Amino acid sequence: MDKVGKVIIIGIGNLLLMDEGIGIHVINELEKHKLPENVDIYDGGTGGFNLIDMMHGAGNIIFIDAVDTRKAPCTITTFKPEDVRSIYPRKKYSLHDTDLLEVIKMAELLDNPPEIEIVGIQPKTINYGITPSKELRDAMPDIINTVLSRIEEVCSVHKLARERS
Amino acid sequence: MHDFNVDIEHITRVEGHGNVVIDVKAGEIRELRLDIVESPRFFEAMALGRTYKEVAHITSRICGICAVTHTTTSIKAIESALDFAPSAQTIKLRKLLLNAEFIQSHILHVYFLTAPDFFRVGSVFGMIKDNKETVLRGMRLKSLANELCALVGGRHIHPITLKIGCFSKNPERKDLIAFKEKIIKARPEIEKTVEFFKNLKTPKFERETEYISLTCPDEYALYDGNIKSSDNGEIKPADYLDRVKEFMVRHSTAKHAKANRDSYMVGALARFNNNYKHLHPRAKEVAEEIGLKHPCYNPYMNNIAQVVETVHCFEDSISLIDNLLSNGLQDEKAELTPKAGRGVGATEAPRGTLYHEHKLDDNGKITYGNYIIPTGQNLANIENDLRAMVPGILYKEKDDIILDIEMLVRAYDPCISCATHLMKVEFVNG
């Protein structure tokens, strides 16, 4: 698979904190679907900067994560890193405070950095528990449809690019 | 500066964090505290009522950076409760996986969190302009460690082959051979890492304290061993509560801990002080080259001890791979019989000794859990270091005092909020 054609989907979050782990729950759900052969899916957990090593060799990356956009619970917002206000640099005492935008910023150092977008899901409840809130469980079909349509669109752009070349 | 008042707020996206509050009047410290205001952790409660087979899956998710250590410690607690002894091969594979986590975690810490302080650039992103190759070297070494983690653990974040009793899948022989060659090829990068940190000027400050770590008679203890205090010798892991005394303080929702004194240190420097003689010879040479003398009472040197341990873990991984290859890897199965019992697992995490204790009922269901993480054990010691250090640096400019304080806290490589990583965003055109 050439690099340009590789699409990597990475769900992130903490599975022990209900809706915080929604990205992983989406990945588990995606495993039940037949995806195009140029698409890989990964459970990125709370890997911080180690997520960069999942990003090698991709033309496109779609992250799925719980994101506080101050909207209603379950709202799905698809955005690119450049759509978000810069938060660098900031004080840090712990590597455990690394957030996704910092990981993405660091990934710009990779050779041929990938195109990145984020499917952000507004959480309802973040508390101790290994299942998401009922609201997010009910919203799962919509979330999956959004992710699948993003995959379809990214893959069709690749197909078009290949046909033109 | 006779008066000094600072509240170094930790700006971040979630509400759990360490704020340093210091109030000095006429050269005397009136107040000094490291506020930890994160939500209390209830991971033990999540394990209750589950079977012994499920618990490691839960604990592996407590932390993405220390997932191998949490999983290993959890498994060891269960195996101990069920009186099960894993095979020599399984223990070697676990040690190899732990080495991968130590290298990955230490490299991330020293390159991404510690190094920017020496250039006064605020964060690793500030180093990219003038020290891009250094940052890239850190990324390459981290990737190498992650590759080892994936080779043994099935994937490099939250490994999946690490099970109670044995590994669910062994690494391929040819992959182990290839990986050993990669480590050997990476030696110049490791040497450059040593050279880089040798040339950074670590603040001078000494305060001897009690150092606690695991210890083994015949190796540098990371995977297993007795609990050793530099003050009063060794005890068995099962007796950990005789040594580790947790207590609450008003200003922190995280528990503090003490042992023989009112605080103690865990982590790379504690291990270096307690187990120096078992370091790999190359790691000992590096310690000398880089100016880390045994014993060392400068907590800032914890970062340098992490560099030394990185060298040790790379070299030890070569030995472990050679050993596994010469013995041949066997597919293993483990049968454990549920029964009532109590088990304690103690393992060195990159940041210090991690304890998991579980009690099981007759059916192997969890009836009790207690996890003690390294950072909680270090909090009281960080405060004592600050109390001893701050009066001696009051002659400096305020910004320099703040940097010295921040560097000290960071030197402990704290795991302040590994529980939640929710991203809050504000859109440019929102």
Side-chain angles (χ1 to χ4, degrees):
Chain A
M1 178 60 59
D2 62 308
K3 173 187 158 56
V4 175
K6 194 83 175 165
V7 178
I8 293 181
I9 319 295
I10 306 175
I12 61 174
N14 192 320
L15 264 185
L16 305 184
L17 292 169
M18 295 184 69
D19 294 351
E20 222 278 328
I22 189 66
I24 317 299
H25 291 291
V26 170
I27 291 295
N28 291 341
E29 200 61 31
L30 280 177
E31 282 182 351
K32 300 171 191 165
H33 289 72
K34 184 167 169 51
L35 300 172
E37 64 173 30
N38 60 329
V39 175
D40 286 343
I41 59 174
Y42 292 118
D43 162 3
T46 50
F49 282 122
N50 290 318
L51 291 170
I52 294 168
D53 291 314
M54 288 180 170
M55 298 164 75
H56 285 293
N60 287 71
I61 305 237
I62 302 174
F63 281 105
I64 305 158
D65 192 12
V67 178
D68 183 2
T69 52
R70 300 176 187 81
K71 293 181 181 165
C74 310
T75 302
I76 306 165
T77 311
T78 302
F79 59 97
K80 290 183 177 296
E82 57 267 30
D83 296 335
V84 179
R85 281 185 204 285
S86 169
I87 54 161
Y88 314 98
R90 43 163 224 177
K91 281 183 183 173
K92 193 189 288 288
Y93 283 140
S94 167
L95 281 172
H96 297 71
D97 273 333
T98 307
D99 83 9
L100 179 56
L101 292 175
E102 291 172 294
V103 174
I104 291 170
K105 181 86 178 159
M106 192 53 78
E108 288 173 8
L109 291 180
L110 296 174
D111 292 335
N112 303 317
E115 289 283 317
I116 293 172
E117 63 181 67
I118 300 152
V119 176
I121 299 139
Q122 179 72 40
K124 168 77 165 57
T125 309
I126 294 187
N127 206 339
Y128 293 87
I130 56 174
T131 50
S133 63
K134 181 179 181 310
E135 287 81 351
L136 246 64
R137 291 202 303 276
D138 290 346
M140 187 59 91
D142 285 344
I143 299 168
I144 294 294
N145 282 338
T146 302
V147 174
L148 289 174
S149 69
R150 291 309 308 145
I151 293 173
E152 193 177 355
E153 187 172 328
V154 169
C155 288
S156 66
V157 169
H158 282 316
K159 194 176 168 197
L160 201 60
R162 272 202 301 275
E163 283 169 2
R164 281 183 179 164
S165 63
Chain B
M1 188 180 292
H2 288 287
D3 292 350
F4 176 77
N5 188 298
V6 65
D7 183 346
I8 309 174
E9 189 180 352
H10 184 206
I11 303 158
T12 176
R13 70 210 175 284
V14 283
E15 62 266 48
H17 323 271
N19 299 333
V20 178
V21 177
I22 299 178
D23 184 13
V24 178
K25 281 276 173 355
E28 296 262 323
I29 294 176
R30 287 187 167 190
E31 186 172 18
L32 186 152
R33 56 176 208 267
L34 178 58
D35 285 349
I36 302 292
V37 287
E38 73 174 336
S39 309
R41 299 165 187 234
F42 293 113
F43 295 120
E44 292 97 330
M46 298 178 76
L48 298 182
R50 295 182 181 276
T51 74
Y52 70 93
K53 291 179 180 172
E54 294 174 292
V55 70
H57 178 65
I58 292 171
T59 54
S60 78
R61 293 286 173 166
I62 291 175
C63 174
I65 297 178
C66 317
V68 171
T69 324
H70 271 290
T71 312
T72 303
T73 310
S74 184
I75 285 172
K76 283 169 58 182
I78 297 295
E79 288 175 348
S80 166
L82 298 179
D83 294 326
F84 178 88
S87 72
Q89 174 183 298
T90 291
I91 290 172
K92 282 174 200 153
L93 285 170
R94 287 178 186 173
K95 287 178 178 175
L96 192 54
L97 196 51
L98 264 185
N99 279 349
E101 182 161 276
F102 268 69
I103 296 167
Q104 168 244 77
S105 178
H106 283 353
I107 287 290
L108 262 178
H109 183 244
V110 297
Y111 272 101
F112 285 32
L113 208 66
T114 302
D117 281 333
F118 291 94
F119 297 94
R120 301 183 79 115
V121 289
S123 79
V124 68
F125 301 105
M127 282 180 63
I128 292 170
K129 185 167 172 279
D130 295 327
N131 292 280
K132 187 175 176 183
E133 176 49 28
T134 302
V135 177
L136 287 173
R137 190 192 313 124
M139 286 175 72
R140 286 192 297 271
L141 286 169
K142 172 190 67 62
S143 293
L144 187 66
N146 281 340
E147 199 179 321
L148 178 59
C149 200
L151 174 59
V152 183
R155 63 184 182 195
H156 75 268
I157 300 173
H158 305 298
I160 48 172
T161 58
L162 194 53
K163 305 285 184 196
I164 295 170
C166 61
F167 277 74
S168 61
K169 187 174 183 299
N170 289 334
E172 297 284 337
R173 185 179 173 82
K174 64 175 173 44
D175 292 335
L176 283 175
I177 294 169
F179 192 82
K180 178 185 160 186
E181 289 308 311
K182 283 188 182 180
I183 299 178
I184 291 167
K185 273 193 185 156
R187 276 177 175 153
E189 297 256 85
I190 300 162
E191 297 304 319
K192 280 184 186 161
T193 301
V194 173
E195 193 65 26
F196 175 74
F197 283 95
K198 185 168 82 178
N199 292 325
L200 301 181
K201 206 173 161 192
T202 300
K204 291 195 186 318
F205 164 69
E206 287 201 345
R207 187 182 74 85
E208 191 259 353
T209 187
E210 182 178 5
Y211 300 94
I212 293 186
S213 70
L214 297 182
T215 196
C216 275
D218 50 4
E219 65 180 29
Y220 192 78
L222 299 181
Y223 171 72
D224 209 0
N226 283 339
I227 303 160
K228 176 177 177 177
S229 158
S230 56
D231 278 3
N232 53 11
E234 298 178 28
I235 59 166
K236 300 272 183 209
D239 302 324
Y240 75 109
L241 289 176
D242 292 343
R243 176 141 294 161
V244 180
K245 304 290 182 193
E246 287 191 297
F247 60 98
M248 294 300 295
V249 291
R250 191 177 284 275
H251 59 273
S252 167
T253 52
K255 286 179 185 168
H256 285 211
K258 60 183 177 180
N260 189 48
R261 310 187 197 184
D262 60 353
S263 72
Y264 65 88
M265 184 179 192
V266 294
L269 192 66
R271 291 187 291 261
F272 176 85
N273 282 344
N274 282 351
N275 298 316
Y276 172 78
K277 66 180 177 183
H278 293 305
L279 272 173
H280 187 278
R282 180 60 197 136
K284 281 184 185 167
E285 286 171 13
V286 163
E288 194 171 338
E289 277 172 41
I290 211 166
L292 178 63
K293 291 196 174 76
H294 178 266
C296 173
Y297 304 134
N298 179 351
Y300 287 101
M301 293 297 273
N302 192 53
N303 299 316
I304 299 303
Q306 288 180 324
V307 174
V308 169
E309 283 194 337
T310 299
V311 174
H312 172 87
C313 289
F314 268 123
E315 295 301 325
D316 186 56
S317 295
I318 291 176
S319 305
L320 283 166
I321 289 172
D322 282 343
N323 195 292
L324 285 161
L325 289 172
S326 67
N327 290 330
L329 283 157
Q330 313 297 323
D331 286 337
E332 293 184 325
K333 284 200 172 128
E335 294 293 330
L336 283 83
T337 311
K339 69 179 186 73
R342 169 186 182 262
V344 175
T347 314
E348 286 295 326
R351 288 150 193 81
T353 319
L354 173 69
Y355 303 96
H356 283 210
E357 176 186 356
H358 279 300
K359 289 177 186 165
L360 310 179
D361 68 12
D362 291 335
N363 300 313
K365 285 202 169 161
I366 307 290
T367 59
Y368 175 81
N370 187 32
Y371 311 151
I372 299 181
I373 61 164
T375 294
Q377 297 171 72
N378 275 331
L379 291 174
N381 208 62
I382 298 174
E383 287 185 346
N384 282 342
D385 278 349
L386 289 171
R387 276 190 200 96
M389 182 188 79
V390 168
I393 58 171
L394 288 174
Y395 67 90
K396 294 187 177 184
E397 296 294 324
K398 186 169 183 179
D399 284 352
D400 293 333
I401 296 173
I402 289 175
L403 182 63
D404 280 2
I405 292 168
E406 289 181 342
M407 285 177 73
L408 184 86
V409 177
R410 277 193 276 272
Y412 278 81
D413 192 4
C415 167
I416 288 173
S417 183
C418 60
T420 178
H421 295 74
L422 177 69
M423 179 166 62
K424 288 183 181 173
V425 300
E426 196 174 312
F427 292 103
V428 177
N429 297 312

